[in-house]
Amino acid sequence: ARLDVAGWQRGRNENTNGPLRHYPRGADLSRWSAEDLQSVAAALNSRPRKTVKLKTPAEALHDQLVSRFVALLTYPWVISCLGGRVGGRRG
């Protein structure tokens, strides 16, 4: 049995693709400059997403990278490689 029967059953997919419907379907993209297309991409990619607590994808990625980097700095072998210094202090 197929699970994806209707668009309303695929919320995340439809929420992601919905804004694309504001642009003409099947349009010849060569009509627009690269700058125009980058502007559209930036507008779509900078929309806050409910799935990441209303952050933009870039903000969510930044938070993940920072938290993983901070977690990495707490590993004893990393601290020893840094000569016992983490954040300018001796560990």
Side-chain angles (χ1 to χ4, degrees):
R2 187 167 169 207
L3 298 176
D4 295 338
V5 177
W8 58 268
Q9 293 177 321
R10 295 175 292 159
R12 184 180 298 176
N13 183 358
E14 289 304 308
N15 288 336
T16 301
N17 293 337
L20 291 173
R21 292 191 182 93
H22 294 284
Y23 302 97
R25 185 176 192 159
D28 179 12
L29 297 181
S30 66
R31 292 177 27 191
W32 290 283
S33 69
E35 217 172 70
D36 292 334
L37 297 175
Q38 288 173 350
S39 175
V40 170
L44 292 172
N45 291 330
S46 63
R47 290 178 63 240
R49 304 297 201 278
K50 187 176 180 180
T51 57
V52 287
K53 300 179 182 174
L54 296 177
K55 295 178 184 176
T56 66
E59 291 168 336
L61 176 62
H62 176 266
D63 290 351
Q64 281 291 313
L65 293 175
V66 167
S67 68
R68 289 173 190 241
F69 181 72
V70 169
L72 178 67
L73 288 178
T74 63
Y75 288 145
W77 63 269
V78 173
I79 294 171
S80 67
C81 289
L82 294 172
R85 292 183 304 274
V86 176
R89 297 186 305 253
R90 283 240 175 244

